[in-house]
Amino acid sequence: MPRSRPVTGLFALAAAIAACAPVSAQDYYAGKTVEMIVGGGAGGGYDIYARTVARHIPGNPTIVVKNMPGASSNKAAQYITAIAPKDGTSMAGIMPGAIMGPLLDERAAPMFDPTKVHYIGTANSGTRVCVTLKGTKISTFEDTRKVPAKFGGSGPNDSTYEYGYLHKHTAGAIYDIVSGYRGTPDMALALERGEIDGICGWDWSSFKSQKPDWLRDGKANVLLQVSIEPHPELTKMGVPSVFKYVNNETDRKAVEFIISQTLFHRPYIAPPGTPPAQLEILRAAFDRTVVDPAFLADAEKARIDIAPLSGAKVQDIVAKLYTTPKDIIERARKAIR
């Protein structure tokens, strides 16, 4: 059984607050509408998580899920920072690339400050993978170091784009990146049509929820796992770690820096200026509901693979990332472009 714990409870404020939080918190949210902004398009992994949340939320408060894709979740983060109400009734699920963007993309002005938003928690500390289909010319990661191929990608600050280049520049892959896809659902279609040969930077949890038949029917090759610590399920499958192919010490430090974002794989944020009392309510709701047995059961059905961290821990990790030495950041910037 995959180790999966549901993000559903993350913002199930009605259920969590009513059961566990003070009466004053329940009174505060009674009758209100809470918006959950999703920094990704319909059908993608972040959307799947958010829709799972929505399926379990009672009517008080009413929680409205809104997709706001664009600029690899930066539009959603910018909305939360500059426009959303700062009273605990608005939050966003964003991609970790948006948090790393100001560090790694010196060409563009940051759309928001990742050190200023409040982190409610992360739904999982995840792993990303490289995937191809059976019967194609790329069946192992070793093949990507020998056989010319085309791998799909989205754009800067998206993992499919940045991890694709990361493996080219630090692990010896020789494929070309075909960018411009809106998300992994589009890339999966392109893979099935033979337009591309593979995808890197695909969230393992998203892959399992989006394409369960590929695993069930043995259609996919999982070439590589990319995370700070090996994923037990992938290790059991014999999928090698990215560090097997990174031999240069400077490159290794750069890779570690980039993939440290997998520690906050599904981060949820609240606006700067959210009152401490409301922020505590949101964080407590997250911490309590990720261990709720009812949500755990639903996560198994949805194939949602989650290992959550508290908002305070995520806040600390992000703060430390922003103190990384400049030489490591510079090597990392070159590796992902």
Side-chain angles (χ1 to χ4, degrees):
M1 265 316 207
R3 58 182 185 96
S4 56
R5 297 201 295 269
V7 67
T8 31
L10 174 54
F11 302 119
L13 294 176
I17 292 172
C20 307
V23 174
S24 59
Q26 182 175 349
D27 292 342
Y28 180 81
Y29 283 105
K32 285 185 170 64
T33 297
V34 177
E35 62 176 358
M36 185 194 303
I37 306 301
V38 183
Y46 289 83
D47 184 60
I48 289 171
Y49 275 67
R51 301 297 164 181
T52 307
V53 173
R55 284 200 302 272
H56 293 278
I57 298 172
N60 291 312
T62 300
I63 299 189
V64 180
V65 179
K66 300 177 181 177
N67 289 86
M68 196 176 290
S72 300
S73 287
N74 273 281
K75 287 186 177 179
Q78 186 180 46
Y79 170 83
I80 284 291
T81 299
I83 300 172
K86 304 179 189 302
D87 59 358
T89 63
S90 188
M91 61 208 76
I94 63 172
M95 300 175 186
I99 297 169
M100 299 291 285
L103 286 170
L104 294 172
D105 192 354
E106 61 182 344
R107 301 170 301 172
M111 296 176 71
F112 83 112
D113 187 342
T115 66
K116 297 291 194 258
V117 297
H118 295 297
Y119 294 88
I120 300 165
T122 181
N124 71 329
S125 303
T127 300
R128 288 169 170 154
V129 294
C130 293
V131 175
T132 62
L133 291 180
K134 297 283 188 182
T136 59
K137 59 185 177 181
I138 305 294
S139 60
T140 67
F141 191 77
E142 291 286 354
D143 292 337
T144 71
R145 293 151 56 97
K146 305 171 187 174
V147 181
K150 295 179 180 179
F151 274 52
S154 182
N157 297 331
D158 183 82
S159 62
T160 56
Y161 179 94
E162 294 188 343
Y163 281 46
Y165 278 109
L166 178 68
H167 304 326
K168 279 177 64 69
H169 295 150
T170 65
I174 63 170
Y175 50 64
D176 292 325
I177 300 294
V178 180
S179 61
Y181 291 98
R182 294 185 63 184
T184 49
D186 288 348
M187 284 178 245
L189 283 174
L191 197 55
E192 290 176 319
R193 294 169 180 164
E195 297 170 11
I196 57 175
D197 301 298
I199 305 166
C200 282
W202 200 343
D203 298 337
W204 175 235
S205 54
S206 295
F207 171 76
K208 290 192 294 182
S209 59
Q210 288 174 303
K211 289 295 179 183
D213 60 308
W214 285 12
L215 279 178
R216 183 190 66 233
D217 301 336
K219 295 180 179 179
N221 301 305
V222 183
L223 312 182
L224 194 70
Q225 57 170 308
V226 188
S227 58
I228 297 296
E229 296 293 335
H231 190 291
E233 185 180 10
L234 289 164
T235 300
K236 188 175 181 180
M237 292 168 57
V239 180
S241 166
V242 64
F243 292 112
K244 176 180 178 180
Y245 301 99
V246 182
N247 300 315
N248 179 286
E249 184 61 24
T250 301
D251 286 348
R252 187 180 183 89
K253 289 180 179 178
V255 170
E256 288 176 346
F257 169 66
I258 291 166
I259 68 175
S260 62
Q261 64 188 269
T262 61
L263 295 173
F264 46 87
H265 213 43
R266 305 275 179 182
Y268 289 81
I269 61 173
T274 299
Q278 275 66 57
L279 179 61
E280 274 309 302
I281 290 168
L282 293 174
R283 285 180 170 179
F286 171 81
D287 292 340
R288 290 185 176 107
T289 56
V290 291
V291 296
D292 188 301
F295 294 119
L296 290 174
D298 187 66
E300 290 288 346
K301 295 176 184 177
R303 298 177 179 269
I304 294 175
D305 185 10
I306 297 179
L309 286 177
S310 70
K313 288 182 179 179
V314 177
Q315 201 92 42
D316 185 55
I317 291 169
V318 173
K320 288 180 179 177
L321 281 171
Y322 273 76
T323 64
T324 300
K326 290 183 178 180
D327 60 325
I328 296 176
I329 293 176
E330 185 58 32
R331 175 59 187 132
R333 284 174 176 170
K334 292 179 179 178
I336 61 174
R337 297 286 185 265

